[in-house]
Amino acid sequence: MLLSKNSALESKDNEIFEVEESIAIQSELIKTMTTMVNSKAYVNERNQMVPEARCRKQANYHVEQNNKIVDEELSDWESKFFEVDMDDLHELFMAANYLEIESLLNGVTKRVGDFIKACKNVEVIRQTFGINNDFAAQQEEEIRKLNSWNHI
Amino acid sequence: MKSEVSEMGSGVGGGGGGNKYGSLNLTDLPQDCIATVFSFTSPRDACRLSLVSTTFKSASESDAVWENFLPSDHQASIPSSLSFSSKKELYLSLCENHILIDGGRKSLQLERVSGKKVYMLSARDLFIVWGDTPTYWRWISLPESRFEEVAELINVCWLEMRGKIAISMLSPMTRYKACLVFKATAGAYGFDFQPAEVSVSIAGAEGCKRTVYLDAARGLRQRYQIVPRRIGLFSRSRFLGLQAPVPPAPAGGDDQYPKTRGDGWLEIELGEFFNDGSIDGELEMSVMEVDGGHWKGGLIVQGIEIRPCL
């Protein structure tokens, strides 16, 4: 990583992105790394989990965030940015979590929250997120009773 | 955001490639991340999520999630004498039961689906003209009232009741409606032919005025198309030689007449108010009948309820 106005980040696919340093350090992880001894080898190792697409997206995300955009435009842009399918959302989520980028994480969690809100019932939630029901029948019945006050 | 995420019904293939939305495996993520996602949903969704799987149950019941559904100032509002094992339990309790605040002058409850605040101002919290004069009003205790005292209207010519509440106490981004909560005694009179003027407004501003009838029996007559004939002994206007005007033809909707509440009391809507969270100041509500010049009596007032419109 070069300690200059721009940081070069290398992703798992060996692609190098040039990102303004002020944007790069929005990732808590990268911020921590810049204070450590810098070596390309080190960077390679640490970034191995992060595939190309994610890095590019985040770089763009931060460029836009840091430009002086009017609030309304920003929220429009954010809505479009997160209008992706589940697989992409999953990647964004993992990346935001791994790179510790708070604003990105907030955006993704809200979007996933919206997906949940759109699910009409428990079975649809299971299907949407590929979750298996690991409750015993009686346990499930008990929980349903306990939560019946909220008309689920 | 709702328009961007279409309703997902049943019948979509499960997991992996079969699902049109792909598959976001939340269980990869740390618990606190999952809890953060859940806190962006709603109390109802959180209850649903506790049925999905054991992992989801544990995350959906965490304090981090339910803290988010409780009003932001709940710590200040809840008496310290009450303690709960979890935030979810606290939320549940506040939905099921109201608590008395402000020295017993008001009650607070949460609307269960949204977690928004519901208040009732007791009669003692209202400004009632002639309220302290025993010939006109008296203060009694009723077991079916949540407050220590309710106000019983014996007899007045000038009926004026006003309530107010700091707007900051209300949940933001919520449309509220205010209702007078009351009962009529068997001998209630003077409310059948003369409507009352009610209003809800921000202090200092011109509000929304409506006319309503405080006569529960009239409400029933209107609905069942019975021709009203009040020749009863209790019609004081006749004693005074005043002719009761012929009641006008049914006008306005059902909300001009009292409705029965689940708790056995009657209520009449005074008006609505949208709190966008930016307005400071007080919300004022009033009930007035001062134009008829006739005597009226036989109402028992519990208070004014302010609750979110559903």
Side-chain angles (χ1 to χ4, degrees), chain A residues 78-80 82-83 85-87 89-90 93-94 97 105-106 108-122 124-135 139-141 143-144 146-152, chain B residues 1 4-15 19 21-30 33 36-38 40-45 47-57 61 66 88 91-92 95-96 112-113:
Chain A
E78 277 189 357
S79 308
K80 293 207 183 81
F82 290 114
E83 219 171 288
D85 67 18
M86 284 291 212
D87 288 326
L89 212 52
H90 186 229
F93 212 145
M94 299 300 274
N97 191 43
L105 199 55
N106 273 345
V108 178
T109 47
K110 267 199 201 116
R111 180 73 178 151
V112 180
D114 287 341
F115 270 108
I116 295 173
K117 281 202 266 201
C119 293
K120 275 188 187 165
N121 58 48
V122 178
V124 176
I125 298 178
R126 285 193 190 121
Q127 286 170 6
T128 309
F129 295 95
I131 313 267
N132 286 322
N133 179 4
D134 58 352
F135 285 122
Q139 208 182 0
E140 195 176 334
E141 191 47 44
I143 303 171
R144 207 172 273 278
L146 280 171
N147 287 292
S148 60
W149 60 275
N150 215 336
H151 314 293
I152 53 171
Chain B
M1 266 289 196
E4 289 158 61
V5 179
S6 55
E7 276 279 319
M8 293 185 221
S10 52
V12 179
N19 188 322
Y21 291 96
S23 172
L24 191 154
N25 195 359
L26 285 180
T27 48
D28 281 356
L29 301 162
C33 263
T36 308
V37 172
F38 293 175
F40 280 114
T41 63
S42 70
R44 176 178 294 175
D45 294 311
C47 288
R48 269 192 199 140
L49 288 161
S50 67
L51 269 168
V52 170
S53 71
T54 51
T55 316
F56 270 34
K57 177 177 191 295
E61 289 178 348
W66 289 88
K88 180 176 180 180
Y91 181 93
L92 254 156
C95 290
E96 296 285 300
R112 66 179 46 183
V113 174

Side-chain angles (χ1 to χ4, degrees), chain A residues 10-14 17 29 33 41-55 58 90-100, chain B residues 28-29:
Chain A
E10 182 165 338
S11 71
K12 180 181 179 186
D13 326 51
N14 298 317
F17 297 90
L29 184 71
M33 280 159 57
Y42 182 79
V43 170
N44 281 351
E45 198 192 312
R46 292 296 284 157
N47 266 337
Q48 70 185 349
M49 295 293 290
V50 185
E52 171 203 335
R54 280 186 210 169
C55 260
Q58 282 139 49
H90 186 229
E91 290 201 353
L92 276 175
F93 212 145
M94 299 300 274
N97 191 43
Y98 177 72
L99 290 171
E100 298 170 48
Chain B
D28 281 356
L29 301 162

